[in-house]
Amino acid sequence: MRKMLLLILLSGVTASAGWWSSLTQHLPLSTTSNISSREQRESQEALQVLNMIRHQVGMIPLRSSSTLQKAAQAHARYLVRYGVVSHRERSGRGGFSGSRPLDRALRVGYASRYVSENLSTGSVDIRRSIRGLFSAIYHRFIFLDPGYDEVGIGSAHSLHGRVRHAYVYLLGNHTLDTLCREPGYTGRARYVYGVCADTQHRIEAGRFERARTGLKERNPRIIVYPADGQRDVPPAFYREEPDPLPEYDVSGYPVSVAFNDRYFRKVDLISFRLFEEGGSAPLPARLLDKRTDPHHRLTRRQFALMPLQRLKWGQRYRAEIVYRHKGKRHTLRWHFTTRRPEKPLRIVSGKQESITLEGGRSYWLYFPPVNGKDVLGTMRYPEDVKVRFVDPNTLEVLIPKDRTRPFEIVGSGRKVQIRLSLKK
């Protein structure tokens, strides 16, 4: 009997950047259900992972916001309940907590309008959710935005339905939220309004600017990712919603640079290149910036280099940017290393190949993509052999100790005949 392994590629990650727009009416506070112990544990674990990543790039940690967590938790439950992947909710449905992320934040009592939301579905645990979101360039820039210092994290799960796992991350600025809770400014100096839940609430302009710039002064001048010296970087990027490379189903892991606007009012990027360590020729890549971004999400200080070919397993890379600031030319270089295979790696380059493996062991079979559409789909194999996807181009195969007969793994236009050698 043969078994089938099916990989379904879903985007499952969507980003929603900060809303400052005003509402036409004030929303009442919702009565959000209690957060379960599992949801609370996942929220704490996610915060630790996010702050570990931010520490790698030199950023200040995010603090946990119980108010934003209520909004994030309500939306995660909504996604699982109705099997949708969206930042929007439909009014009138059970569990409705607000049409947009801003609405949901205000409804549970968040006082500032400066919020952004990331979400993902499909990941079986929250660490994989965050790993997937960081491979998605628009989501990454939200997590690494120096203007945010707090987050609420929600998760929801179901044994059935189209969406069985949902994770929502709602970010905000604690100082702005605090200013919006104080009595409104009544003096004669300059002031701002339209940034709080009450759009007429006034904040003295100097305090408002300090709230926005104070965080940025505590964060790096230039934020690069993957970070310098980072290891275990995924070698590939697959999909994001919206998709920055819509004509590619597989490409290399994005490399990004953000210039902190507290220090860079204007910056000109001259070049952005990626090399294999020791190599002299840059890898083929597409540069996304404010002008070339197909979805117009990037600011004039955000840049993403999208390698057009998948990166190699366990390879060290060198990234390099050249930029001009205040009339001076600067060069910045940093290094990172992609994830090393956890099992012996066998590369299967041809459409039909024969390889010899040892029974009772696990292997990674890597099928290098021949073009930007080349990913694995349904794969067939014997019932007694265990196979799982490491990613859409790599399989992990566990061969039983007592199996002596050769077998085949077939699918997606490929056939791999596996011969077995006896353990000495």
Side-chain angles (χ1 to χ4, degrees), residues 268-272 320-324 329-332:
D268 296 314
L269 188 71
I270 299 171
S271 67
F272 192 167
E320 177 186 286
I321 61 169
V322 180
Y323 64 95
R324 183 177 291 109
R329 185 182 175 109
H330 305 267
T331 300
L332 177 64

Side-chain angles (χ1 to χ4, degrees), residues 43-62:
S43 175
Q44 293 169 353
E45 181 181 9
L47 184 64
Q48 291 174 354
V49 173
L50 286 173
N51 283 335
M52 179 187 69
I53 295 172
R54 285 170 65 95
H55 177 74
Q56 284 180 315
V57 300
M59 299 186 72
I60 63 172
L62 296 170

Side-chain angles (χ1 to χ4, degrees), residues 112-169:
S112 164
R113 292 177 172 272
Y114 188 52
V115 297
S116 287
E117 181 179 86
N118 275 344
L119 66 85
S120 74
T121 60
S123 299
V124 297
D125 61 63
I126 207 153
R127 287 179 178 268
R128 295 184 191 184
S129 164
I130 293 172
R131 186 165 65 231
L133 289 166
F134 267 87
S135 73
I137 195 65
Y138 302 125
H139 299 73
R140 179 192 299 175
F141 278 127
I142 289 178
F143 279 139
L144 300 181
D145 188 322
Y148 294 121
D149 68 342
E150 64 179 351
V151 63
I153 301 165
S155 62
H157 307 275
S158 174
L159 296 176
H160 309 285
R162 180 174 177 269
V163 173
R164 299 188 181 187
H165 310 278
Y167 308 93
V168 178
Y169 311 81

Side-chain angles (χ1 to χ4, degrees), residues 330-366:
H330 305 267
T331 300
L332 177 64
R333 298 183 182 91
W334 70 101
H335 300 79
F336 64 88
T337 304
T338 54
R339 180 183 177 189
R340 298 187 183 280
E342 297 173 8
K343 308 292 182 182
L345 184 70
R346 299 292 184 269
I347 298 176
V348 184
S349 299
K351 292 294 184 181
Q352 295 191 37
E353 284 202 20
S354 178
I355 59 176
T356 300
L357 303 178
E358 193 175 283
R361 297 189 63 184
S362 293
Y363 295 86
W364 280 13
L365 303 188
Y366 172 48

Side-chain angles (χ1 to χ4, degrees), residues 70-357:
K70 292 176 184 177
Q73 186 60 54
H75 190 52
R77 291 174 181 171
Y78 179 94
L79 299 178
V80 168
R81 180 173 181 176
Y82 295 105
V84 296
V85 184
S86 175
H87 292 286
R88 296 275 181 167
E89 293 187 11
R90 189 183 302 173
S91 179
R93 280 182 164 181
F96 173 78
S97 60
S99 296
R100 305 169 300 163
L102 172 60
D103 303 336
R104 295 189 286 273
L106 297 181
R107 193 167 185 174
V108 296
Y110 201 67
S112 164
R113 292 177 172 272
Y114 188 52
V115 297
S116 287
E117 181 179 86
N118 275 344
L119 66 85
S120 74
T121 60
S123 299
V124 297
D125 61 63
I126 207 153
R127 287 179 178 268
R128 295 184 191 184
S129 164
I130 293 172
R131 186 165 65 231
L133 289 166
F134 267 87
S135 73
I137 195 65
Y138 302 125
H139 299 73
R140 179 192 299 175
F141 278 127
I142 289 178
F143 279 139
L144 300 181
D145 188 322
Y148 294 121
D149 68 342
E150 64 179 351
V151 63
I153 301 165
S155 62
H157 307 275
S158 174
L159 296 176
H160 309 285
R162 180 174 177 269
V163 173
R164 299 188 181 187
H165 310 278
Y167 308 93
V168 178
Y169 311 81
L170 192 56
L171 291 93
N173 181 306
H174 178 75
T175 307
L176 279 179
D177 180 62
T178 300
L179 289 178
C180 288
R181 296 177 187 278
E182 296 178 355
Y185 178 71
T186 58
R188 295 187 177 184
R190 288 193 315 120
Y191 62 86
V192 298
Y193 63 96
V195 298
C196 300
D198 176 1
T199 57
Q200 299 305 308
H201 186 94
R202 298 179 179 183
I203 301 175
E204 192 269 321
R207 297 188 70 195
F208 174 74
E209 285 303 315
R210 287 192 294 275
R212 297 188 64 191
T213 62
L215 284 182
K216 296 177 180 180
E217 290 174 349
R218 296 164 58 200
N219 280 303
R221 293 172 177 263
I222 303 176
I223 300 168
V224 302
Y225 196 86
D228 186 29
Q230 185 171 336
R231 297 180 177 273
D232 203 33
V233 175
F237 164 70
Y238 290 98
R239 290 185 182 177
E240 180 177 10
E241 181 59 40
D243 198 335
L245 290 179
E247 70 273 36
Y248 285 78
D249 289 338
V250 55
S251 56
Y253 194 78
V255 184
S256 62
V257 175
F259 292 87
N260 189 330
D261 64 3
R262 179 67 183 91
Y263 304 101
F264 294 88
R265 289 189 175 275
K266 185 178 186 300
V267 63
D268 296 314
L269 188 71
I270 299 171
S271 67
F272 192 167
R273 299 185 295 176
L274 182 66
F275 303 83
E276 285 189 11
E277 184 65 10
S280 58
L283 302 182
R286 182 177 302 172
L287 176 63
L288 298 187
D289 57 20
K290 183 176 174 60
R291 182 180 60 84
T292 60
D293 174 17
H295 302 288
H296 311 290
R297 296 292 186 98
L298 302 185
T299 72
R300 65 180 184 272
R301 301 178 191 87
Q302 293 175 333
F303 304 90
L305 191 69
M306 312 293 293
L308 298 181
Q309 298 173 359
R310 179 187 164 117
L311 305 183
K312 296 178 180 179
W313 290 106
Q315 175 67 46
R316 193 168 189 253
Y317 290 90
R318 181 180 82 254
E320 177 186 286
I321 61 169
V322 180
Y323 64 95
R324 183 177 291 109
H325 180 236
K326 294 183 177 180
K328 293 184 179 180
R329 185 182 175 109
H330 305 267
T331 300
L332 177 64
R333 298 183 182 91
W334 70 101
H335 300 79
F336 64 88
T337 304
T338 54
R339 180 183 177 189
R340 298 187 183 280
E342 297 173 8
K343 308 292 182 182
L345 184 70
R346 299 292 184 269
I347 298 176
V348 184
S349 299
K351 292 294 184 181
Q352 295 191 37
E353 284 202 20
S354 178
I355 59 176
T356 300
L357 303 178

